PDB file of all heavy atoms in Angstrom:
ATOM      1  N   CYS A1440      68.555 209.657 133.780  1.00 44.00           N
ATOM      2  CA  CYS A1440      68.957 208.814 132.679  1.00 44.00           C
ATOM      3  C   CYS A1440      69.493 207.432 133.252  1.00 44.00           C
ATOM      4  O   CYS A1440      70.381 207.616 134.131  1.00 44.00           O
ATOM      5  CB  CYS A1440      69.924 209.449 131.810  1.00 44.00           C
ATOM      6  SG  CYS A1440      69.323 210.976 131.104  1.00 44.00           S
ATOM      7  N   SER A1441      69.151 206.376 132.720  1.00 41.00           N
ATOM      8  CA  SER A1441      69.669 205.114 133.052  1.00 41.00           C
ATOM      9  C   SER A1441      69.560 204.130 131.960  1.00 41.00           C
ATOM     10  O   SER A1441      68.843 204.468 130.940  1.00 41.00           O
ATOM     11  CB  SER A1441      69.051 204.538 134.294  1.00 41.00           C
ATOM     12  OG  SER A1441      67.712 204.203 134.079  1.00 41.00           O
ATOM     13  N   SER A1442      70.204 202.870 132.175  1.00 40.00           N
ATOM     14  CA  SER A1442      70.050 201.894 131.071  1.00 40.00           C
ATOM     15  C   SER A1442      68.691 201.201 131.108  1.00 40.00           C
ATOM     16  O   SER A1442      68.419 200.347 130.200  1.00 40.00           O
ATOM     17  CB  SER A1442      71.205 200.915 131.281  1.00 40.00           C
ATOM     18  OG  SER A1442      71.062 200.200 132.513  1.00 40.00           O
ATOM     19  N   GLY A1443      67.893 201.471 132.159  1.00 40.00           N
ATOM     20  CA  GLY A1443      66.724 200.652 132.235  1.00 40.00           C
ATOM     21  C   GLY A1443      66.890 199.401 132.962  1.00 40.00           C
ATOM     22  O   GLY A1443      65.838 198.653 133.308  1.00 40.00           O
ATOM     23  N   ALA A1444      68.004 198.905 133.220  1.00 38.00           N
ATOM     24  CA  ALA A1444      68.183 197.593 133.918  1.00 38.00           C
ATOM     25  C   ALA A1444      67.931 197.696 135.439  1.00 38.00           C
ATOM     26  O   ALA A1444      68.167 198.779 136.008  1.00 38.00           O
ATOM     27  CB  ALA A1444      69.595 197.216 133.804  1.00 38.00           C
ATOM     28  N   LYS A1445      67.367 196.729 135.950  1.00 35.00           N
ATOM     29  CA  LYS A1445      67.009 196.704 137.426  1.00 35.00           C
ATOM     30  C   LYS A1445      67.848 195.680 138.090  1.00 35.00           C
ATOM     31  O   LYS A1445      68.234 194.692 137.623  1.00 35.00           O
ATOM     32  CB  LYS A1445      65.510 196.321 137.521  1.00 35.00           C
ATOM     33  CG  LYS A1445      64.510 197.343 136.963  1.00 35.00           C
ATOM     34  CD  LYS A1445      63.127 197.002 137.254  1.00 35.00           C
ATOM     35  CE  LYS A1445      62.170 198.047 136.709  1.00 35.00           C
ATOM     36  NZ  LYS A1445      60.728 197.640 136.962  1.00 35.00           N
ATOM     37  N   THR A1446      68.199 196.024 139.289  1.00 32.00           N
ATOM     38  CA  THR A1446      68.959 195.123 140.156  1.00 32.00           C
ATOM     39  C   THR A1446      68.236 194.722 141.389  1.00 32.00           C
ATOM     40  O   THR A1446      67.394 195.505 141.818  1.00 32.00           O
ATOM     41  CB  THR A1446      70.386 195.796 140.522  1.00 32.00           C
ATOM     42  OG1 THR A1446      70.090 196.944 141.323  1.00 32.00           O
ATOM     43  CG2 THR A1446      71.154 196.215 139.417  1.00 32.00           C
TER      44      THR A1446
END
Side-chain angles (χ1 to χ4, degrees):
C1440 297
S1441 70
S1442 62
K1445 295 182 180 181
T1446 60

